[in-house]
Amino acid sequence: MAVPKSKQSKSRTNKRFANYKATAATIVECPHCHEFMQSHRVCDKCGYYNGVEVIAPKAEKNN
């Protein structure tokens, strides 16, 4: 069984987690409706992905 020879210090342990950084989602313009959307996802506004209508867009309510 592997046993560490000595205890690792807190600073040395925390160095592993110091380089973790959350990145912002990549936002691109939809080529079909020109709204902003996440890349490699179906557009929420028009329902197109890669030039093909994948889902029908939701109809907006007019009150």
Side-chain angles (χ1 to χ4, degrees):
M1 186 167 125
V3 179
K5 197 157 197 157
S6 61
K7 180 181 176 180
Q8 239 181 13
S9 68
K10 292 176 188 171
S11 64
R12 185 168 179 167
T13 303
N14 291 335
K15 284 179 185 179
R16 279 197 305 272
F17 307 108
N19 293 315
Y20 173 76
K21 297 170 191 71
T23 57
T26 307
I27 304 295
V28 296
E29 185 179 327
C30 175
H32 189 258
C33 68
H34 305 289
E35 290 285 332
F36 288 111
M37 58 178 252
Q38 280 189 334
S39 61
H40 305 289
R41 303 286 192 281
V42 176
C43 180
D44 291 333
K45 303 293 180 183
C46 64
Y48 275 74
Y49 178 74
N50 200 17
V52 179
E53 185 175 10
V54 180
I55 57 172
K58 295 179 180 179
E60 294 182 11
K61 282 186 175 180
N62 292 330
N63 290 339

